[in-house]
Amino acid sequence: MYTLKRIFTMIVTLWIIVTLTFVVMHSIPGDPFASDAKALPEEIVKNMRAKYNLDEPLPVQYALYLKNLVQFDLGPSIQSKTRDVNTLIAEGLGPSALLGVQSLIVAIFFGIVLGVVAALYHNRLLDNLSMLAAIIGISIPSFILAPLLIKYLAVEWRWFPVASWGTWKHTVLPTIALSVGPLAIIARFVRTSMLEVLNQNYIKMAEAKGLSTSTVMIKHGIRNALIPVLSFIGPLFASIITGTFVVEKIFAIPGIGKYFVDSIFNRDYPVILGTTIFYSMILILTLFIIDLCYRLIDPRIKITSGGN
C-alpha cells in the first residue's frame, strides 16, 4: 500500500513539474524561430511553426505534448534536424551518468571519511583542518572551481586533458568540480551526527563491555551516524545533477546537461521539456529508493501505509 501510494505521488509530482515547465517556458517572450525570422520568408516560418505545433493555442499544445509523453515520445528537437529528444538523451546519458555517479561516490566516501576523522579528533588539529577544508569547499561553487581546475591542472601544469571526452582522465577535473561542494557539506553533516552518536549511552555501554574502538565505531557509531545523512542524499544528488548543467558546458562534455544549456539559449522547447522530465524522474526515483533504504540501515524504522 505504501509503495502504491508513493508511486501515485511520484506521478502527480512529475505531472506538476511538466505543467509548470511548460507554462514558464511558453510565457517567455519570443519563439525558437525569432532569430531566423529576418532571414527566412514569413511563409516558411509559418510552416516551421506549424510543423512543431507552435501555431496551436497553448492548451492544444499542452494536450498534444501529454499525449506523446504517455507514449514515451519526447518529440523532435527544433535545432537538431537529424535527432529527436529521445535520441539526444540516449546519447548524452552515458557521459552524464558516469560523471554524476562518480561525483556522488567521491562526495559520499570522502565526505564520510573527513567527517568521521573530524569527530574522532574533536577540537584538535585534524578536526580544525577538516572543517577549514569543508568551509572552503562549500564557499567555492562548481562553476568557479571548474575554470580554476582547467587553468592550473590542465593548461599550466598539463596533468589532465580538457575540452574533450574519451578516457578516465577526462572525468577527473569535472568530477572534482562537482563533488567538492557536496563532499564538504557531507563532512560537516557527518561530524555533527557522529559527535551526537558518540555521546549516546549505548556507545559508552559498548566501550564498557570491552569492545575494540574499531568495532564500536563501525558497528555502532558510524552506522547510526549515517541515518540522518541518508536523508540528505536526495538533495545532494539534486545539487550534483543541477551542477552538471554548467560543468558539462565548461568542460565540453557531450552529456545531457550540455544539451539542456544549449536548448535554453536556442529556445528548443522539446529538449528543455524532455531533459527537465528526465532529470525530474531521476530525482524522484532517487528519493523513493532512499526511503526504502532507511530500513536496511536501521531495522527499527518501519515503513507502513501511513508513512511512519
Side-chain angles (χ1 to χ4, degrees):
M1 186 65 181
Y2 170 80
T3 303
L4 293 176
K5 181 179 178 181
R6 284 301 307 270
I7 292 176
F8 175 76
T9 304
M10 291 161 58
I11 294 174
V12 172
T13 302
L14 187 61
W15 170 73
I16 293 174
I17 292 173
V18 172
T19 303
L20 290 177
T21 304
F22 184 90
V23 172
V24 172
M25 184 178 62
H26 284 276
S27 65
I28 300 175
D31 61 65
F33 309 109
S35 59
D36 298 330
K38 296 181 180 179
L40 297 175
E42 182 179 351
E43 191 64 28
I44 294 180
V45 173
K46 288 183 179 180
N47 292 336
M48 294 177 68
R49 289 178 58 83
K51 177 181 177 181
Y52 297 101
N53 298 317
L54 295 177
D55 59 338
E56 300 285 353
L58 282 182
V60 176
Q61 294 185 44
Y62 178 69
L64 289 173
Y65 188 82
L66 289 183
K67 177 183 176 182
N68 293 329
L69 183 61
V70 296
Q71 300 174 356
F72 301 100
D73 181 8
L74 298 176
S77 170
I78 295 177
Q79 295 297 320
S80 177
K81 307 304 180 185
T82 59
R83 296 174 296 177
D84 57 15
V85 180
N86 293 59
T87 303
L88 288 175
I89 292 178
E91 291 178 355
L93 178 59
S96 293
L98 174 62
L99 194 58
V101 172
Q102 191 168 284
S103 301
L104 186 65
I105 293 174
V106 169
I108 293 175
F109 178 78
F110 288 102
I112 292 175
V113 171
L114 199 63
V116 170
V117 169
L120 293 178
Y121 293 90
H122 182 49
N123 287 335
R124 293 157 69 178
L125 179 61
L126 282 179
D127 181 21
N128 295 331
L129 290 177
S130 298
M131 290 303 98
L132 176 62
I135 292 174
I136 295 175
I138 295 174
S139 303
I140 304 178
S142 60
F143 61 86
I144 297 296
L145 182 59
L148 293 176
L149 293 174
I150 293 175
K151 175 177 173 58
Y152 292 104
L153 299 186
V155 177
E156 294 192 3
W157 299 343
R158 299 183 182 276
W159 288 357
F160 300 100
V162 71
S164 56
W165 184 258
T167 67
W168 66 269
K169 291 184 178 180
H170 297 92
T171 68
V172 174
L173 295 186
T175 296
I176 294 175
L178 283 173
S179 62
V180 165
L183 186 157
I185 296 175
I186 289 179
R188 291 177 61 86
F189 212 89
V190 170
R191 175 182 179 272
T192 302
S193 181
M194 193 72 179
L195 288 174
E196 182 179 349
V197 168
L198 291 177
N199 288 323
Q200 298 297 316
N201 291 330
Y202 62 84
I203 294 293
K204 298 177 182 179
M205 181 69 70
E207 293 174 342
K209 289 181 179 180
L211 296 178
S212 64
T213 303
S214 59
T215 301
V216 173
M217 289 300 100
I218 295 175
K219 188 175 181 180
H220 301 285
I222 297 178
R223 180 177 180 178
N224 290 304
L226 291 183
I227 294 176
V229 176
L230 184 62
S231 63
F232 181 70
I233 299 298
L236 169 70
F237 189 69
S239 68
I240 290 179
I241 288 295
T242 54
T244 59
F245 297 160
V246 179
V247 170
E248 286 183 10
K249 186 68 175 180
I250 293 175
F251 286 96
I253 297 173
I256 301 176
K258 180 178 180 296
Y259 294 142
F260 179 76
V261 175
D262 290 339
S263 67
I264 293 176
F265 286 109
N266 297 326
R267 294 183 181 274
D268 196 336
Y269 294 159
V271 177
I272 295 175
L273 274 169
T275 51
T276 300
I277 293 170
F278 181 78
Y279 279 121
S280 300
M281 287 179 60
I282 291 178
L283 179 57
I284 292 171
L285 288 174
T286 301
L287 295 175
F288 176 63
I289 294 172
I290 288 173
D291 284 345
L292 297 180
C293 287
Y294 274 121
R295 186 183 176 94
L296 298 178
I297 292 182
D298 189 352
R300 295 172 302 176
I301 299 176
K302 303 291 184 180
I303 296 178
T304 64
S305 59
N308 298 320

